[in-house]
Amino acid sequence: MNIAYQIENLTKIYKKTGKKANDGLSLHIHEGEIFGLLGPNGAGKSTLVNQIAGLLRPTSGLVRLFGIDVTKRPDVIPEYVAVQPQAAMTLRDLYPEEALQYTAQLRGVPTSIARRQTQELMDELDLNSLRKRSIHRLSGGQQQLVSLAVTFVGDRPVQIFDEPTNNLDPQVRRKVWDKLLQLNQRGITIIVVTHNVLEAEQVLHRVGIINHGRLLSIGTLGELKAKVDQQIRLDLSFKSDPALFKSLESLGEVQVIAPRHWTILCHHDTVQQAINQIFQVGLQHLDDFRILTPSLEDVYLQLGGGTNLG
């Protein structure tokens, strides 16, 4: 695979506080992948993103973008990279349509194509009803959508998103993830900083887990899951007396979530036996029964990412 970003021993120390926000980070991001950065607040994710996007100068280390040393040539980054910041947009006094078209033209898109791309994104993200409202008068979720559209316009080969689905309702969040997948299918490299692990798990190719400014682990979801405890969770909701399933206690750790809701943690070797016993007692005694492998959040917690992603 070709490398989009090569990051070596990247360190950022803030002079005023002396805080080491990034501490010798080294990783590669492949061209054409969807790469996720996970970590708690203050872990150093946004500092890393700001450095590779040319918004913050590293204290030391190397960042290459498509082979170009952008620590020495940060001026070339806008030719390749579009960034959706978490903070409010600088185009907040414009109408959404103006913001999109001006951004496209600043990125070198001819006027006629900029207009076409703008209209396509206005249609795709349901922004047409907001044409005559300046961005600073929009709701948080509407501003978020405009911020995303500004990132999409111009089709930069690398697009970076910091919490892309914040403030969005579930239906719109799904639409955003679908859009990121569509972009990736066209060969665009997507880098996502997110706390929404359950959603992100469906689209990420590889993940880097960061805490205290250091890279704790990196790999595909399968590679990371292979590093942690491979217990399988059996989730049972009962219609009738849970005591009917008491024999399962010998096959794994039973966690009583509620009187009629158990989670049983089983080792791989005992899962089949536990499932057989459940079928022997009878599914008619259950409201719901699910088999859950380790999730990305399980991986995150067990690899030292913190107590939660909030």
Side-chain angles (χ1 to χ4, degrees):
M1 274 189 186
N2 294 328
I3 301 297
Y5 270 112
Q6 176 188 353
I7 301 162
E8 302 289 350
N9 297 314
L10 194 67
T11 297
K12 179 61 184 177
I13 302 173
Y14 289 107
K15 291 181 179 179
K16 287 186 178 180
T17 62
K19 179 185 177 182
K20 190 178 285 187
N22 288 160
D23 187 2
L25 288 172
S26 294
L27 61 114
H28 294 168
I29 297 173
H30 300 139
E31 187 176 352
E33 75 172 337
I34 304 179
F35 184 85
L37 283 171
L38 298 182
N41 291 334
K45 307 182 303 297
S46 293
T47 299
L48 171 59
V49 163
N50 286 337
Q51 289 175 99
I52 67 174
L55 303 175
L56 192 63
R57 188 173 182 82
T59 302
S60 62
L62 172 72
V63 179
R64 291 190 186 275
L65 174 61
F66 297 118
I68 302 168
D69 184 350
V70 292
T71 52
K72 296 178 180 177
R73 291 287 314 280
D75 57 295
V76 305
I77 295 176
E79 296 179 25
Y80 298 98
V81 180
V83 183
Q84 174 257 321
Q86 199 173 1
M89 295 167 40
T90 57
L91 302 173
R92 54 186 283 111
D93 291 325
L94 299 177
Y95 296 139
E97 187 174 16
E98 292 175 325
L100 294 180
Q101 188 165 328
Y102 292 164
T103 300
Q105 290 177 274
L106 285 170
R107 290 175 178 161
V109 179
T111 302
S112 60
I113 298 175
R115 287 174 180 160
R116 175 174 57 77
Q117 288 187 0
T118 294
Q119 188 55 58
E120 287 173 351
L121 286 167
M122 295 285 288
D123 293 341
E124 194 171 358
L125 297 176
D126 296 326
L127 296 174
N128 286 305
S129 62
L130 309 178
R131 282 180 183 276
K132 298 303 180 183
R133 294 173 62 187
S134 55
I135 292 170
H136 74 273
R137 294 184 181 278
L138 303 179
S139 69
Q142 291 168 337
Q143 289 188 27
Q144 181 80 351
L145 279 177
V146 175
S147 176
L148 288 165
V150 167
T151 312
F152 298 148
V153 77
D155 287 330
R156 283 296 185 257
V158 177
Q159 298 185 20
I160 302 175
F161 300 89
D162 195 348
E163 301 293 354
T165 58
N166 269 7
N167 303 314
L168 302 180
D169 63 49
Q171 184 176 2
V172 179
R173 290 203 304 266
R174 183 66 266 166
K175 183 179 293 188
V176 169
W177 288 118
D178 287 344
K179 176 66 175 177
L180 295 182
L181 284 170
Q182 291 169 15
L183 291 171
N184 181 251
Q185 288 166 2
R186 287 162 38 199
I188 290 174
T189 303
I190 305 291
I191 302 170
V192 180
V193 177
T194 183
H195 286 155
N196 201 325
V197 184
L198 294 178
E199 290 181 356
E201 185 169 7
Q202 308 304 313
V203 301
L204 298 179
H205 298 156
R206 287 195 311 139
V207 175
I209 298 175
I210 294 178
N211 204 357
H212 305 298
R214 296 186 175 187
L215 185 67
L216 302 181
S217 195
I218 188 170
T220 65
L221 298 182
E223 289 168 346
L224 293 180
K225 288 180 180 182
K227 294 182 179 182
V228 303
D229 185 356
Q230 289 294 295
Q231 285 184 316
I232 304 296
R233 294 204 307 270
L234 306 181
D235 200 53
L236 292 86
S237 295
F238 304 102
K239 287 181 181 177
S240 52
D241 187 0
L244 292 170
F245 295 87
K246 191 169 180 61
S247 61
L248 294 173
E249 293 179 351
S250 64
L251 300 176
E253 177 189 345
V254 174
Q255 298 177 349
V256 179
I257 310 301
R260 294 185 181 274
H261 182 188
W262 288 4
T263 290
I264 304 169
L265 301 178
C266 296
H267 191 270
H268 276 274
D269 296 340
T270 61
V271 170
Q272 188 60 57
Q273 188 178 350
I275 293 172
N276 290 341
Q277 288 194 24
I278 290 169
F279 276 89
Q280 285 172 9
V281 175
L283 293 179
Q284 70 271 19
H285 299 293
L286 297 175
D287 271 327
D288 194 17
F289 169 46
R290 292 183 294 167
I291 303 171
L292 304 170
T293 59
S295 68
L296 180 55
E297 186 160 20
D298 294 329
V299 170
Y300 168 83
L301 294 172
Q302 291 191 46
L303 291 178
T307 56
N308 58 62
L309 287 169

